[in-house]
Structure formats: structure tokens, C-alpha cells
Amino acid sequence: MTTTTTPIPPTQPLPGSRAKSQNWLSKLWHLHWTWRVTWGYLAVMLLIPTVLMLLKAIQEGPGKFWEVATSPIALSTYDVTFVTAFIAAVINGLFGTLIAWVLIRYTFPGKRFLEGVIDLPFALPTAVAGLTLATVYSNNGWIGSMFAPFGIQISFTRLGVGIAMVFISLPFVVRTVQPVLGEIEKELEEAAWCLGASQWQTFWRVLLPPILPAILTGIALGFSRAVGEYGSTVIISSNIPFKDLIAPVLVFQNLEAYDYTGATIIGTVMLLLSLLLLFVINFIQAWGQRYVIK
Amino acid sequence: MSSNKPVSSPNSQRKSWVPIVLILIAVGYVALVLLIPAANVFYQAFSKGFGPFVDTLKLHDFQVAVGLTISLALIAVPVNTFFGLCAAWALARKRFPGRTLILSIIDLPFSISPVVAGLMIVLVYGRVGWLGPWLLDHNIQVVFAFPGMVLATIFVSLPFVAREVIPVLEEVGPEQEEAAKILGANEWQTFWRVTLPNIRWGLLYGVLLTNARAMGEFGAVAVVSGNIAGKTQSLPLFVEEAYKNYQTESAYGAAVILGLLAVFTLVVQELLERRTRIKEVE
């Protein structure tokens, strides 16, 4: 044991709340200093700001809160933000699983490069990502010019916002599925084949169940990141209300207009969603533990 | 291509085109979403030679932005490393009810939108914030100034070190530390001689990610900085501002610097991963 967190009072503790609370206080007082640093830091940096924002939102009263949170412009930003992020996360769920599969099971030239480059969205500053995506997918950019003749405009539309969200949420599914897939032994598949299962059946019945929690976790993490994303989406979007304006930009615009109430309320809606997602992700991970054989 | 054949099984031998198609789809997707845009950063910056790039380097606002970005990282990285180590040491060795909850709380900055993080800082330290009036009385400017940018940077890069170190500490187990204690080592000696060598690669990895995020953060810093060119404009903010003002060359000149930071991060990350893999094999 590294800590001294069990200071039992020399006198027999009296039954009752007073003795209990004293015990609790002295426990807190005698916490190991690493714990004190951890609690203090989390409190100052995270908990107090979060609680203060929620308090400020509550102060506005439920009527005002509801009115701002469900104003037409707010509803349209939720639509653009949450629906687009969800689609982007699901697309990455499909392709991310495929990439993880390819990386685990096959060898091919350039595999190590592919492996290294997957984490690029984590390492590349989002402003740079937005800048280059906006250029490449613009009507005269490298990729955008291929779509322009068909009347498909990508940059500065909702589609562009979707592309930016796909970019930043790409690594999540790959990185959560890869280790789980790597642990599944090849023998399991071969056993299924020997028993006469087709490749598709093997995938569907043998491989998918154990990796499904990882895929869902990856999708949820990617969704959570895409919903909150600001840097890349603000640059590739034209930020026009009711067209491709996202919720984080609305918060920002409210702040710039000194509308602290509006910013706080939309910000609180986003915070509550983040907390909900965190809960969902933890739940999926706990559920996924069922498949861990140890 | 014979090298694309999977290990060996009659089924996949018969369908040897399956792996090739899957590999092509995977590579195509990554190319479309990641590689082409990444290559474009370098192409745009140098397509007209080194001239425009050098011109960007000479801009006063650019130089201030680089200085600010480096200062932000120089403060945020050590502070978060210290906290991350404390949190990891406290959390890795104990099982208690609510432990997962604390781990989730540490992860919160990942799921909170950077803009909302910036908003929180404004609501605490800003003029209408809870500490705002007191700060104004004492002539301390946090929001729209450097301290606010530091707070925003610290906030968004908070979890990385703890996240990377906790699993390593859990895997190593407490036995070696206990042995050191029994042999008479004090806490500091135990940490320095036993714990630190065990966690060094994980720690380095966490520091690297903290640094990349600290230098690259846009949303949270944009909210609290006020974005005054040459004063409170970090490098990512400079990129966006230049782009919005149609100074595409300056934007890409600065973007290349940040892109190199990303390349550096990925290369070191790969090296660190190889280290840990070799260690595992041993």
C-alpha cells in the first residue's frame, strides 16, 4: 500500500452521524498527496466550470431554457450537427471495421504506412484539417472537381461538414476494433469453416458478435467527437443558418454577440448530450466485457 | 499478387480476389479522406516555390503566433504531465467503488466540445462570470488574454498522460514497488528508480499527444482568446484568419508548420509503439 488512508481514531468511534462525518473528514485530510492533487486539479479545471455552467443554465428558468433550446435556429443546428455526425460515425463504423480487418489479417506493400497514417486526424490540428479539406473538396479542388460536373458541391455545404466529421472520427473505430480482432484466434474461424460455414456465415456468426461492442464503442466515440468538433467544420462550412450551421458555431456566434444566455443554453444542451454519450459508451464497454475470456 | 494471399485455407484460396478487393477499398477510403488532403497541405504551401513560404515566415503576426503556440505548450504540457502522473499513481493501484466514474470524469475533456470548454472558462473568469468582477477589481485579465488561452489549452489536453500511464501501471503491478519499499526506499526513490523506468514509454507517448493537442487546439482557444492578430492569436487561429482573408499562401505556410508537427507526432508514436512491441516480445 502506498497510502495512509485508513486512520482509525484511537478512541472507539461513537455510532451516529457525527462520528461518521469526522471519520470521513479525517480521511479526506489524511489522503495521500497524489490524491489531493488529483481531486484539487479535477475540481478546479473540470468540475467547478461544469457545475457553474449548469447552474447558470438553471438560473434562466425552465421556460426561457426551453424557448432558446428549441428555437428554430437551434433546432436546425441540432439537425445539421447530430444527424450529420451520426451518418459520419456510421460510415466510419463500416469502413473502420474493414480497415481494421485488412490491417490485422492481410500483408501488403505499404501496410505499415497505412497503419501509421490512421492516427493522422488525432495529430493534425483541426484548423489545418479544415483548411485542406475545404480546398481539396472545393469545386476546383483535387477531389471536389470530380463531383462538380454532376452538380454536387461539397465544400461550404452540409456534405462538406459531413466530410470533415468523417475525417476527424475515422481513427476511433479502427483503433477500438483492431485489438479485439487481433485477439480472436484464427482457429475459431477455421473451426467454423470445417463445420461447413461459408465465409459470410463465419463473419456473421463467429467474428461479428465479439467485435460488435468494439464497433459500437468506436461509433459512439466518433459521434461524440464529431458532434463537438469545431475547427475543421467551421472552416469547411459556409456557416449559413438553416443550411449548414452547426451547434458549436452557434454557441460561438452567440458569445461574439455577447448573448451569454443563448450561448450557455445551447452549450448546456451539448454538454448534457456529451454526458449521456459518456454514459452510453461506458455501458457498451461494460457489456463488451462479457466477451473477454480470461 | 501472390503476397496478398491470406495465410492458407482452401476457402480463401478459392476466393483470393476477396483480400485484394478489401485492401483496395480500405486504401482507397483512407486515400480519399486522409492521404490526399494531407498531401495537399504540402503541395499548396510549396507549389509556387519556397518564396511565399519564406514570406509567411517573415510576417510579424506569424512570428507572434508561433511564439504563443510554443508558450502555451510549454505551460500546458508540464502541468498536465504532473497531474496525469499523480492521477495515474492514485488510480492505478486501487480498486474502490466509483473508480470507473473518476476515470470517466478524467476523460470528460474528450467528449466536451472545445467551444463549450471555452464557454465554461468565459463563464468562470469572464466579465459576466463568477470570478470576473473580483478579477476586474484586481486588474487581472484572464479572458481575451494569455491566461485564458493557457486554461483552455490545459483543459482540452488534460486526459492524455493519465490515460496512457494508467494501463501501463496496471499491467506492471505493484510488486516491484512493494519490494523497493521493503528494501527501505522512500516514496520518491521508489517512483524515480522503479515506477518511472516501467512507465517511461507510455508516459512519453502521453506527453507527445498532450503536446500535439496543446499546439493544435483551435475551438477552445478561439473562444477565450479574442483572436487579436499579433497579440492573442495562436498558430491555428492564424491559419483560419489568413484563410478567411483570402491570404491562402500565408494560411498554408502556417499550416505546413502545424502539419510537420503532426508528422513528427506520428513518427515518434510509431517508434514508441515499436519499442513497446519489442519489449513485449522479450
Side-chain angles (χ1 to χ4, degrees):
Chain A
M1 291 293 279
T2 51
T3 53
T4 52
T5 47
T6 49
I8 295 169
T11 50
Q12 200 66 27
L14 290 163
S17 60
R18 201 183 141 80
K20 239 184 201 167
S21 76
Q22 260 180 3
N23 193 13
W24 185 80
L25 262 179
S26 82
K27 254 189 181 173
L28 199 67
W29 184 248
H30 287 97
L31 270 181
H32 192 256
W33 67 268
T34 51
W35 272 105
R36 278 186 259 164
V37 169
T38 306
W39 279 123
Y41 195 78
L42 282 179
V44 172
M45 286 309 306
L46 263 176
L47 298 178
I48 294 175
T50 313
V51 171
L52 285 185
M53 191 173 91
L54 292 176
L55 276 179
K56 174 131 171 92
I58 290 170
Q59 275 179 352
E60 305 296 340
K64 175 86 179 161
F65 187 94
W66 186 252
E67 189 196 315
V68 176
T70 60
S71 61
I73 189 168
L75 289 178
S76 86
T77 61
Y78 302 152
D79 173 31
V80 175
T81 312
F82 299 140
V83 175
T84 316
F86 182 74
I87 295 170
V90 170
I91 291 174
N92 273 332
L94 293 174
F95 282 99
T97 310
L98 191 136
I99 294 169
W101 171 264
V102 162
L103 285 174
I104 289 286
R105 283 300 155 92
Y106 307 135
T107 47
F108 54 94
K111 179 180 161 180
R112 297 210 55 160
F113 179 72
L114 186 68
E115 170 94 50
V117 105
I118 292 289
D119 282 330
L120 186 74
F122 288 154
L124 193 72
T126 52
V128 180
L131 172 73
T132 186
L133 285 170
T135 312
V136 167
Y137 282 93
S138 76
N139 277 346
N140 39 21
W142 288 348
I143 300 174
S145 59
M146 290 190 266
F147 289 91
F150 303 102
I152 303 170
Q153 201 195 339
I154 300 178
S155 289
F156 315 113
T157 67
R158 189 172 170 172
L159 196 57
V161 173
I163 295 280
M165 286 173 167
V166 165
F167 176 89
I168 48 139
S169 61
L170 174 64
F172 288 100
V173 173
V174 182
R175 290 300 180 225
T176 44
V177 172
Q178 218 178 352
V180 184
L181 205 53
E183 260 172 40
I184 299 173
E185 278 152 17
K186 190 104 177 106
E187 284 78 18
L188 212 61
E189 270 171 75
E190 278 162 5
W193 285 336
C194 290
L195 292 169
S198 68
Q199 265 193 343
W200 181 243
Q201 283 173 319
T202 313
F203 174 76
W204 200 246
R205 303 266 179 96
V206 179
L207 289 171
L208 193 61
I211 62 170
L212 192 61
I215 296 175
L216 292 178
T217 307
I219 290 177
L221 286 169
F223 176 68
S224 154
R225 173 77 200 267
V227 163
E229 174 62 15
Y230 178 75
S232 55
T233 38
V234 73
I235 293 177
I236 204 169
S237 161
S238 61
N239 299 312
I240 295 171
F242 303 104
K243 186 188 160 213
D244 58 0
L245 186 74
I246 51 165
V249 178
L250 182 63
V251 174
F252 197 95
Q253 288 179 348
N254 280 340
L255 266 176
E256 279 190 324
Y258 298 103
D259 177 8
Y260 290 96
T261 309
T264 307
I265 289 172
I266 310 286
T268 304
V269 171
M270 295 187 67
L271 177 72
L272 292 178
L273 185 95
S274 311
L275 294 177
L276 180 73
L277 275 171
L278 206 66
F279 179 74
V280 170
I281 291 165
N282 275 332
F283 176 78
I284 300 173
Q285 277 174 335
W287 172 60
Q289 291 297 311
R290 285 192 318 172
Y291 289 102
V292 178
I293 308 152
K294 281 211 168 150
Chain B
M1 272 205 291
S2 62
S3 65
N4 282 338
K5 228 180 278 170
V7 187
S8 74
S9 89
N11 244 347
S12 52
Q13 204 104 53
R14 207 175 61 228
K15 290 184 178 175
S16 62
W17 52 268
V18 170
I20 298 174
V21 170
L22 292 183
I23 291 168
L24 283 179
I25 295 174
V27 171
Y29 186 72
V30 173
L32 212 59
V33 180
L34 293 186
L35 289 178
I36 295 176
N40 177 60
V41 176
F42 295 90
Y43 173 79
Q44 295 283 343
F46 299 117
S47 61
K48 289 175 191 151
F50 281 88
F53 178 67
V54 174
D55 287 344
T56 306
L57 294 185
K58 284 180 192 154
L59 287 175
H60 172 256
D61 291 352
F62 171 81
Q63 290 167 354
V64 173
V66 170
L68 262 179
T69 294
I70 292 173
S71 330
L72 286 175
L74 279 180
I75 299 173
V77 172
V79 170
N80 275 338
T81 305
F82 177 72
F83 158 75
L85 278 175
C86 283
W89 215 18
L91 280 163
R93 291 279 175 267
K94 271 198 181 168
R95 292 286 178 283
F96 54 90
R99 182 174 176 272
T100 11
L101 184 71
I102 299 180
L103 287 174
S104 302
I105 290 176
I106 291 179
D107 275 350
L108 259 183
F110 284 153
S111 49
I112 293 179
S113 170
V115 173
V116 176
L119 170 67
M120 286 176 177
I121 290 169
V122 171
L123 290 179
V124 178
Y125 303 96
R127 196 147 33 116
V128 295
W130 297 73
L131 279 176
W134 185 86
L135 289 170
L136 264 180
D137 286 345
H138 292 76
N139 226 350
I140 306 167
Q141 178 127 32
V142 176
V143 171
F144 304 136
F146 187 67
M149 296 168 76
V150 171
L151 283 172
T153 306
I154 287 178
F155 185 99
V156 293
S157 60
L158 187 147
F160 288 107
V161 170
R163 275 218 110 180
E164 295 301 327
V165 172
I166 288 174
V168 185
L169 269 182
E170 277 176 349
E171 205 169 288
V172 171
E175 289 83 9
Q176 296 180 10
E177 282 167 22
E178 278 161 12
K181 286 250 166 66
I182 291 167
L183 292 169
N186 64 26
E187 257 182 22
W188 179 244
Q189 286 171 320
T190 314
F191 174 75
W192 197 247
R193 304 263 178 101
V194 180
T195 314
L196 195 62
N198 280 332
I199 61 170
R200 61 175 184 263
W201 302 125
L203 177 65
L204 213 57
Y205 192 20
V207 170
L208 186 76
L209 293 175
T210 310
N211 181 57
R213 185 72 201 258
M215 287 189 163
E217 178 51 27
F218 180 80
V221 174
V223 172
V224 299
S225 77
N227 200 358
I228 306 159
K231 263 190 177 158
T232 59
Q233 193 173 59
S234 66
L235 207 45
L237 296 178
F238 178 89
V239 170
E240 196 232 2
E241 173 120 343
Y243 175 70
K244 272 203 305 204
N245 294 336
Y246 301 104
Q247 296 156 337
T248 315
E249 272 137 23
S250 309
Y252 274 103
V256 150
I257 308 273
L258 289 170
L260 287 175
L261 169 75
V263 172
F264 170 80
T265 307
L266 288 182
V267 169
V268 177
Q269 179 183 340
E270 180 67 26
L271 292 176
L272 286 175
E273 259 166 27
R274 208 175 297 174
R275 275 273 181 190
T276 17
R277 230 176 286 146
I278 290 167
K279 228 179 137 198
E280 268 167 25
V281 173
E282 277 172 0

